[in-house]
Amino acid sequence: MGLKNDKFPSSAAFDAINESLQSSDADRKDAIKQGNAVFAFTLKNKAGETESWHIDLKEKGAVGSGVGTKPTVTLSLSDEDFGKLVAGQANAQRLFMSGKLKIKGDVMKATKMQPILQKAQTKSKL
């Protein structure tokens, strides 16, 4: 079952991240060691609808829909900005400073997300 939602074009990245985590046991264990958190993402599309996904790097090393169980950090941003972030065309700190990225929870954990998003860059064609 794919995680992509057609109303949220950038959500294809969650499939790419999941594929990356599932492709290698060593990579998954490394990502869990680096992340050690549950990252929730709430994206808002141009129609104003919101949808959530999570990346569990605390126990499972997997991606799922919804915010997951007790997310360590929740990142809220537009579908368009998330697409740019995953594609490497946007900087998370700049998005945060300009108010386009809102973070709830452990802000320092949010900084651990970049290497995981970079794995998606190499796998997905956003």
Side-chain angles (χ1 to χ4, degrees), residues 54-98:
H54 68 277
I55 303 172
D56 180 341
L57 294 181
K58 199 170 187 95
E59 293 165 13
K60 292 185 266 193
V63 183
S65 54
V67 292
T69 342
K70 292 189 201 155
T72 314
V73 62
T74 303
L75 297 94
S76 303
L77 67 164
S78 74
D79 178 63
E80 187 181 345
D81 286 334
F82 180 70
K84 289 177 183 172
L85 193 62
V86 174
Q89 298 164 351
N91 175 298
Q93 286 176 314
R94 282 200 205 104
L95 288 174
F96 179 70
M97 295 299 185
S98 64

Side-chain angles (χ1 to χ4, degrees), residues 4-62:
K4 184 176 187 294
N5 179 330
D6 290 334
K7 292 180 181 178
F8 298 84
S10 72
S11 65
F14 292 110
D15 279 325
I17 293 167
N18 198 37
E19 197 178 296
S20 168
L21 288 169
Q22 302 310 318
S23 65
S24 153
D25 211 35
D27 277 357
R28 184 171 61 247
K29 285 179 179 155
D30 187 48
I32 290 171
K33 197 167 97 185
Q34 281 181 25
N36 191 27
V38 176
F39 300 91
F41 293 85
T42 299
L43 305 184
K44 189 174 200 169
N45 67 11
K46 287 190 186 335
E49 300 167 311
T50 59
E51 192 68 51
S52 298
W53 290 265
H54 68 277
I55 303 172
D56 180 341
L57 294 181
K58 199 170 187 95
E59 293 165 13
K60 292 185 266 193

Side-chain angles (χ1 to χ4, degrees), residues 39 73 75 93 103 106-115:
F39 300 91
V73 62
L75 297 94
Q93 286 176 314
I103 300 173
D106 190 337
V107 176
M108 291 315 291
K109 286 287 184 193
T111 62
K112 306 263 187 221
M113 203 57 239
Q114 199 57 40

